[in-house]
Amino acid sequence: MLKGWREVVIGFVIALFIFLGIIGVNILPFVGVALVIGVIYLAMKSRGGSLTVGRQQRRVGGSSKPSYLTFEQIGGQERAKQELIEALDFLINHEEIKKFGIRPLKGILLTGPPGTGKTLMAKAAAHYSNAVYAAASGSEFVEMYVGVGAGRIRDLFKQARDQAVKEKKENAIIFIDEIDVIGGKREGGQQKEYDQTLNQLLTEMDGIYSNSTPRVLVIAATNRKEMLDSALLRPGRFDRHIRVDLPDKKGRLHILNIHAENKPMDNSVQLDTIAVQSFGFSGAQLESVMNEAAIYAMREKLEQIEQRHLTMAIDKVMLGEKTDREATNEERRRVAIHELGHAIIAEIVRPGSVAQVTVSPRGQALGYVRHNPLKDQYLHTKEFLESQIMIALGGAAAEEIFYGGRSTGSSNDFEQSLQIVETMMNAGLTNLGITNVQIVTQEERMKENERIMNELFKRTRNELESHKMVFEKALEFLISEEVVSGDQFRRIFCDNIQLPA
Ligand code: ATP
């Protein structure tokens, strides 16, 4: 009934002004006052209406909202999902845990790289435990004014509880993304405002009791767990930590399948191959691959998404959009030789590993070789790391052989090689032995670095010298085609290997 009261008031005021005007009253001062009141009202409204309402309030919702999500809609992350479900069962079976005198779980911390599905997990948790879901990001609590952040935390908890009561639900899940923004270590240097916000969060968490409904569970997410204040992590607060990592091959395939569900896929599409080629991708990047592939198919006015669209989408997500940079013929030739140098070494040290060789510029790269990781690998031997360095040095070594000198095109390759040498030093895989690298002198490190790089550069160059025929056969083909698949490249490679006499 009261919904249209504003319209009634506005209509009444306008009618009054018209009436006063007709009977000859000077209405200008009244109009001025009405305008000032209107401006003040609009300003207050844009700051949050009742002024105590934070932005996060608008994201409080019940399970009736279609944004809800189940654990089945989250690809991979089997271990993390299981751990979370176990923790949620505590919330659901609260009578059971009371019998055993188990303290209720108040906070769960999800840690892991961006885009791995932490937010999805929190949403699915709310659905699983039939809870209302309230979400906010750490950055939403950051304000210049002391006390505002703390007030917003209070609002968030109150809103979640009120919403649960309104929807007659026993549980409420509060999700705080980027918790590190407000929960960073307090080492004296931080602002008072951050302290107050964090203190308020701790106070709210301390006020969560298992015997009062609605029962509240706080789920927080961060990419930087090491930054968090110990007060947040102590038992009784965020004492359950669940790692949400980058997906392995099986997980990637699962995620690709989930995001393929609403898309028209050609029968020949092999998502298995895409899962292999997208090693190191997060769930968000995989979603983007499916999305970009669909855009490519639509641009070509096709009915279905084909395998090549997915391959193109991987390149796009990995390196950025194709650029219009026009290279001279000489530059293109040099880029092709450089990339073939990488590809030939890759095929020598890890047969079957080249997925694609390209000489069309994309993002910052003038050309690139995409490698197939043969299997997900988390432990690396010295031999493996050395072969990685050789692949990175292949481009520069090829330029030396064909042009007698190198170009600026190798700077990234060198950076990558030096990082691998650093890893080797830290892992005791160099002639420095097993040592604390902090106490090794700069000079010793430089010497060891130089020794490793020189030795591997020489080995790389020798290998390429003995595969000159592959360069000769593949060069024109690569320049004219711009993109050569791993299988096409391998055919040329195998047909032109010169076996030692
Ligand atoms: P951030 O740390 O940057 O906040 P996040 O870990 O919370 O990231 P989400 O917001 O959950 O990541 O994921 C972003 C998007 O990526 C999702 O909307 C979804 O499309 C996709 N995605 C990420 N992980 C998965 C997954 N495991 N299964 C299916 N889709 C996923």
Side-chain angles (χ1 to χ4, degrees), residues 372-383:
N372 274 330
L374 297 182
K375 54 183 179 308
D376 289 357
Q377 211 175 332
Y378 304 100
L379 255 187
H380 304 301
T381 61
K382 180 181 174 195
E383 290 67 34

Side-chain angles (χ1 to χ4, degrees), residues 73-75 77 113-120 177 223 255 258-259 283-284 287:
Q73 288 165 272
I74 303 176
Q77 309 297 358
T116 43
K118 298 184 287 299
T119 309
L120 298 185
D177 204 359
N223 312 324
I255 297 172
I258 287 174
H259 292 289
E287 188 273 338

Side-chain angles (χ1 to χ4, degrees), residues 204-338:
E204 292 290 346
M205 288 187 77
D206 291 345
I208 296 174
Y209 302 105
S210 62
N211 51 3
S212 64
T213 42
R215 274 173 291 279
V216 176
L217 175 69
V218 189
I219 300 182
T222 181
N223 312 324
R224 298 182 294 174
K225 182 176 146 188
E226 67 293 343
M227 299 269 297
L228 295 182
D229 197 283
S230 52
L232 261 181
L233 304 178
R234 80 146 169 76
R237 289 179 185 152
F238 290 103
D239 50 4
R240 274 254 163 162
H241 301 175
I242 299 177
R243 179 95 195 141
V244 188
D245 249 322
L246 289 174
D248 59 9
K249 191 196 141 203
K250 207 168 139 216
R252 292 197 294 277
L253 182 59
H254 190 179
I255 297 172
L256 288 168
N257 272 313
I258 287 174
H259 292 289
E261 255 166 34
N262 64 348
K263 297 183 177 62
M265 309 296 290
D266 190 83
N267 282 340
S268 62
V269 164
Q270 289 184 328
L271 287 181
D272 234 56
T273 317
I274 302 301
V276 173
Q277 293 181 353
S278 53
F279 176 80
F281 277 30
S282 67
Q285 284 173 312
L286 293 167
E287 188 273 338
S288 183
V289 166
M290 295 305 298
N291 197 49
E292 293 298 333
I295 294 173
Y296 282 131
M298 204 180 79
R299 256 189 222 160
E300 291 179 20
K301 300 198 178 2
L302 296 176
E303 293 290 314
Q304 283 172 324
I305 301 168
E306 296 173 8
Q307 187 79 7
R308 66 196 167 85
H309 299 130
L310 291 158
T311 314
M312 278 152 64
I314 290 188
D315 289 342
K316 162 111 195 262
V317 173
M318 204 185 272
L319 297 150
E321 189 58 281
K322 271 188 184 169
T323 59
D324 293 332
R325 236 176 291 149
E326 269 301 322
T328 61
N329 283 346
E330 190 41 46
E331 215 172 37
R332 271 161 72 86
R333 200 181 129 80
R334 192 185 260 270
V335 172
I337 283 181
H338 182 105

